[in-house]
Amino acid sequence: MADYRLEASWSPVEGSFGRFTFTLFNLSTKPLSGFTLAYTSLTRVADKYVAEGAALKRRVANFHEYSPPEGLTIKPGGSWQFTVEGLTNRPKHVTSGIKSAYLTLADGRHVPVSFGDLMLAGAERGELQELLPRGEVTEPFSLLPWPLFLSLRPDDMPPVALYPAAGSSAKNIRAVEKVLALYQRLFPAENVPFTLQPVQGGRQIRFKGESSIMEAAYELRFTAQEIILGTDDAGGLLYGLISLAQLLHGARHNPETFQFPVFGTIADQPRYTWRGCHLDVSRQFYPVPDIKRLIDILAWNKLNVFHWHLTDDEAWRLEIKAYPELTEIGAKRGPDEILLPQLGDGAEPRSGFYSQEDVRGIVAHAGMLRVEVVPEIDIPGHSSAALLSLPRLVDGQEAPDGYRSVQGYPNNALNPAVEFTYEFLGKVFDEMLPLFPSDYIHIGGDEVPHGSWLASPLCRALMEREKLAGTAELQSYFLRRIKAMLAERGKKLAGWNEVSQGGGVDRVGTLLMAWEKPEVGIELAGEGYDIVMTPGQAYYLDMAQAEDWREPGASWAGFTPPEKTYAYEAEGELAEELRERMRGIQACIWGENFVSRAYFNRLVFPRLSAVAEAAWTPCLRKDWLRFAAIVRMWPTL
C-alpha cells in the first residue's frame, strides 16, 4: 500500500477544454513537506494555463511536475488540492487522467503515489457495456477468417484427433507439428487437435500437391475416412492445417453450436497479400514471450505481417552495437534519467530493449508461422530518444525549444542538414540488414511538426543551397536520401502517409500506410503509391470502443466499437483502376493507453480478429453475428 494517493477529476469550463482538480492524500504517519508531485497524463497542460494552489515546475510531453505553495505541510490523514485550467484537449474517457505518479521528497528520494480513474461529475457508474453480441450461426463451423467457399455437412461427433496419412512427406509432418505446437501454446489446457501417428477414433489427413491460383490458397475435402488437404504453397499448407485446428477447437469447445465436417469442401484464399498488425513497443515495452505470443495470435488469425514499431520519442528499443548509447540511455526512463518518466512510469526507472539475439529469435519464430516482420525506425520525427542519446545529431546552434511535436516533445526530429544523421542511420540500417529479411524497412515519416528545423542555421543553409521551401520539402529531401540508402542495401521504403508531402519520394519500391483518414489512401493511390489502409477511425485498436466516459482508450479518431471495425470496407470509394495499388490492410496497436494487460485485451480483442477477417474474407462473405459467435473462443494476450 502506498503512503500517498492522488485523485483527479475533470469539470467542463465554457470557452476552454475544462479544469483538472487534483487532490493529494497523505496516508502515512508523518507530515509531508518540501516535496514535488509528478504525474503523467495524455491530457497535457497547455502553454497558456492557470494553476491555483500549485506551480508547474516542469512539463515534457506527458510528464508534469508541480510544487506546492511554499511552506505547505500535509498532516497525516490530510490532503492538498490544486486546480489547473488550460489543457491541450478535452478528456473524453476515464483513462484520460493520471497514468502514473510519484513524489520527490526533500531528501531527493522518489516515492510511489497510487492513483485512480479520472472522475467526472454525473458520470454513470457500473459495469462496462457488452460490445460483442452472443452471435448466431447458420452453418455450424468455427472458422475465422471465414473462407472464400464452404459447402460442408456436419458430423455428430468430432474426431479424437487428426493425423498425417501413412507415407506423408517429412515436410507435411513438420507442418502438422508446427500447427500442433502453435495450438498448444495458445490453448495449453485443451486437448490436442493433431497427433503424428494414427489414433483410434481419429481421421487421417492426406496431403495432395495441387497448383494454387494464388499464394496461401488451399482446399480441404472431407470424407468419413479422410481429409484431403490440397495445395502447392507453404502458406496454404499452414493455413489449411490452422483451419482444421479451428474447426476441431470449436466442435470441442462449444458442441451445442459448432460441429466438425464429415463431408464437403472448403476452397480458400486470402483477399489481400498484406494482412498486417502493428505494435508500438516504445511507449510500453513488451518482453520477448509477449511478442512471440502476439505473433502466434496473428498466425491463428491468418495475419501475415508483424509491423514492429521499435523507436519513438519515448524509447529506442533495438540494440545497435555501433551506438550502445541508444539503449543504455534511450531505452530507459525515470525521475533521474535523461528521458523523463512518461505514460505508466512511476518512481522507479523502467527500461527494456531487444538484443539482436532476441530479434533473431522473434524473426525466426515469425518466419516459421509465415509472418513477415517489418521493422520500423521512426524518422525524422519522433526521435527524442535518439537525439538525447546521441547529442552529435543535434545542430547546436538551433534554439532548444524551436518547435514542438503534437505530443509535446521539443525539437524531436532528426536534422536533415547534420551530416552525422546519415552516417548514424547508415550504421543502423547495416546492423538491421542481417536481422530482418523483409523487403521493407519502415522509416515512419509521420507527424514532423510544422516549422521543424526552420530555426536551425544548418538547415537554413541547406534550404538555400538546395532551393527548398519549408519543413515539408526539407523532409522530402531527407527521405529521398534515406530511400537511396535503403536501395543501396537492397531494401524498399515503407512509411506513413506523410512521406508523400513536400514532393514525396520515388513511387517505385515505396509502400505508404494511410492512417489519418481513409481519403488519404485514395489520394496516395491516385499519386501512384502502393498503399496499405490503416485508418485510425476503424483500425487503430487504441481507440475507445464507445462514447461512454467509462470506456478506456484514445479519442482523437472518435470511438470504434468492434462492429464498426468489422463492417469497415477499406477499399471504400477507391476507383477500380486504383485497386491494384492497395496491397492490403493493417491494424495498429499504439501503446499510450495500454498501461495494463486488462486494457490491452479489452481494446485489442476482438477488433484484431475483425481486421483479420476483413483482410482475408471477401466483403459479401462476412457476417457480423457469425463472427461474434466464433471470436469469443479465440485467444488473447
Side-chain angles (χ1 to χ4, degrees):
M1 175 178 166
D3 285 337
Y4 310 98
R5 184 171 180 83
L6 183 64
E7 299 284 0
S9 63
W10 176 83
S11 54
V13 175
E14 188 174 348
S16 78
F17 288 129
R19 180 188 300 115
F20 269 152
T21 300
F22 295 98
T23 307
L24 177 69
F25 294 89
N26 182 3
L27 307 177
S28 75
T29 58
K30 298 178 180 178
L32 175 65
S33 62
F35 65 92
T36 62
L37 166 68
Y39 71 85
T40 65
S41 174
L42 284 167
T43 306
R44 300 186 301 278
V45 173
D47 288 339
K48 294 182 179 180
Y49 67 92
V50 176
E52 295 186 359
L56 181 60
K57 183 180 177 183
R58 281 192 298 175
R59 178 199 55 192
V60 177
N62 308 292
F63 173 86
H64 305 73
E65 186 175 21
Y66 288 88
S67 298
E70 189 173 349
L72 176 78
T73 297
I74 309 175
K75 297 177 181 179
S79 64
W80 159 55
Q81 186 172 93
F82 65 97
T83 64
V84 184
E85 185 178 338
L87 309 173
T88 56
N89 58 289
R90 174 178 175 168
K92 295 182 179 178
H93 298 281
V94 68
T95 49
S96 299
I98 305 164
K99 294 204 179 291
S100 59
Y102 66 89
L103 296 180
T104 300
L105 303 182
D107 60 7
R109 288 183 299 125
H110 309 293
V111 296
V113 172
S114 64
F115 57 93
D117 292 336
L118 181 61
M119 306 307 290
L120 171 67
E124 295 181 7
R125 303 292 185 264
E127 295 295 317
L128 290 170
Q129 62 178 302
E130 175 61 58
L131 296 166
L132 189 70
R134 293 305 305 174
E136 58 186 48
V137 300
T138 56
E139 298 175 276
F141 307 109
S142 58
L143 287 166
L144 197 163
W146 195 251
L148 177 66
F149 172 83
L150 175 151
S151 179
L152 300 172
R153 196 177 94 196
D155 202 352
D156 292 333
M157 183 69 65
V160 171
L162 311 176
Y163 55 87
S168 295
S169 69
K171 177 191 76 171
N172 291 331
I173 293 173
R174 282 196 300 271
V176 173
E177 165 59 22
K178 187 186 302 179
V179 178
L180 172 58
L182 170 67
Y183 186 87
Q184 288 182 292
R185 291 193 299 272
L186 293 175
F187 304 102
E190 303 290 336
N191 294 332
V192 295
F194 303 116
T195 64
L196 299 185
Q197 62 181 4
V199 59
Q200 187 173 3
R203 202 179 303 176
Q204 72 173 10
I205 308 169
R206 185 156 58 88
F207 298 92
K208 191 173 181 182
E210 296 177 346
S211 61
S212 304
I213 61 173
M214 72 174 292
E215 185 180 341
Y218 67 93
E219 187 171 290
L220 290 167
R221 297 188 288 276
F222 296 84
T223 72
Q225 290 74 40
E226 67 178 4
I227 302 164
I228 298 171
L229 172 50
T231 185
D232 65 353
D233 178 81
L237 177 62
L238 177 80
Y239 296 137
L241 290 168
I242 287 174
S243 290
L244 290 174
Q246 290 181 353
L247 286 164
L248 198 49
H249 178 72
R252 290 170 171 173
H253 188 82
N254 186 0
E256 295 80 16
T257 304
F258 299 106
Q259 296 170 282
F260 194 83
V262 66
F263 289 112
T265 302
I266 296 172
D268 203 9
Q269 64 189 46
R271 182 181 185 184
Y272 297 118
T273 56
W274 188 288
R275 306 181 301 281
C277 176
H278 152 288
L279 179 67
D280 162 25
V281 298
S282 181
R283 277 68 178 229
Q284 312 295 339
F285 180 73
Y286 297 83
V288 171
D290 285 356
I291 300 293
K292 288 184 175 180
R293 180 169 176 85
L294 179 61
I295 289 169
D296 284 346
I297 291 169
L298 302 190
W300 180 255
N301 284 277
K302 301 189 174 85
L303 292 164
N304 69 339
V305 176
F306 175 51
H307 173 176
W308 200 3
H309 187 88
L310 287 160
T311 74
D312 214 296
D313 291 307
E314 287 80 1
W316 182 288
R317 301 296 191 188
L318 175 65
E319 178 191 23
I320 300 296
K321 294 180 179 178
Y323 302 109
E325 306 97 314
L326 289 170
T327 46
E328 290 171 356
I329 296 171
K332 182 183 290 187
R333 301 192 297 257
D336 298 316
E337 304 300 328
I338 292 177
L339 271 69
L340 288 172
Q342 292 298 333
L343 303 169
D345 303 329
E348 296 296 323
R350 290 204 301 174
S351 64
F353 68 91
Y354 304 97
S355 71
Q356 295 190 4
E357 196 58 34
D358 291 336
V359 171
R360 290 187 188 94
I362 287 167
V363 171
H365 183 83
M368 175 184 67
L369 296 170
R370 312 293 296 178
V371 174
E372 178 183 359
V373 179
V374 176
E376 180 181 355
I377 301 297
D378 200 351
I379 55 175
H382 289 282
S383 292
S384 289
L387 290 161
L388 290 170
S389 300
L390 295 169
R392 283 188 292 163
L393 291 167
V394 176
D395 178 359
Q397 301 177 78
E398 185 177 20
D401 201 357
Y403 59 90
R404 228 181 272 171
S405 74
V406 68
Q407 289 83 11
Y409 283 93
N411 292 25
N412 73 329
L414 295 178
N415 193 311
V418 173
E419 202 56 33
F420 177 61
T421 297
Y422 304 99
E423 177 186 336
F424 158 67
L425 290 172
K427 290 182 179 179
V428 169
F429 294 150
D430 287 341
E431 292 197 30
M432 292 174 71
L433 290 183
L435 299 176
F436 298 101
S438 168
D439 289 340
Y440 288 98
I441 289 181
H442 198 295
I443 53 75
D446 62 314
E447 294 187 323
V448 172
H450 180 69
S452 294
W453 310 307
L454 301 186
S456 160
L458 290 176
C459 272
R460 299 298 298 182
L462 173 65
M463 292 168 70
E464 185 174 345
R465 186 171 68 249
E466 297 291 333
K467 296 182 171 49
L468 303 173
T471 297
E473 290 190 14
L474 275 169
Q475 171 164 303
S476 178
Y477 166 87
F478 170 83
L479 291 176
R480 288 197 300 271
R481 288 190 63 172
I482 297 304
K483 182 173 171 62
M485 292 170 64
L486 291 175
E488 289 169 3
R489 293 161 172 81
K491 295 292 186 181
K492 298 177 182 178
L493 182 148
W496 302 107
N497 54 246
E498 294 98 320
V499 168
S500 67
Q501 296 175 357
V505 298
D506 184 3
R507 277 63 169 161
V508 177
T510 297
L511 180 68
L512 298 188
M513 297 182 175
W515 69 273
E516 289 182 282
K517 55 185 178 180
E519 293 82 1
V520 169
I522 297 171
E523 294 168 8
L524 292 175
E527 293 172 14
Y529 288 104
D530 288 342
I531 58 168
V532 170
M533 295 290 276
T534 177
Q537 295 77 9
Y539 290 167
Y540 269 35
L541 305 187
D542 58 318
M543 289 297 122
Q545 297 178 94
E547 199 168 10
D548 191 325
W549 175 268
R550 297 168 297 172
E551 279 288 342
S555 59
W556 68 262
F559 59 95
T560 310
E563 186 173 4
K564 178 182 175 182
T565 298
Y566 184 82
Y568 177 71
E569 182 59 19
E571 288 185 4
E573 298 178 5
L574 197 63
E576 188 68 38
E577 65 270 17
L578 296 179
R579 290 191 177 177
E580 64 178 12
R581 292 284 178 200
M582 184 173 160
R583 295 276 302 282
I585 65 176
Q586 178 170 290
C588 286
I589 305 172
W590 294 100
E592 289 91 339
N593 284 282
F594 296 122
V595 295
S596 73
R597 182 63 56 92
Y599 278 162
F600 186 99
N601 283 332
R602 177 169 178 82
L603 285 160
V604 171
F605 305 104
R607 292 188 295 182
L608 179 62
S609 296
V611 178
E613 183 142 301
W616 184 281
T617 307
C619 182
L620 294 177
R621 296 281 292 161
K622 292 165 64 178
D623 182 307
W624 165 243
L625 290 179
R626 179 191 64 219
F627 170 85
I630 295 170
V631 78
R632 58 184 64 254
M633 299 185 295
W634 260 220
T636 63
L637 198 65

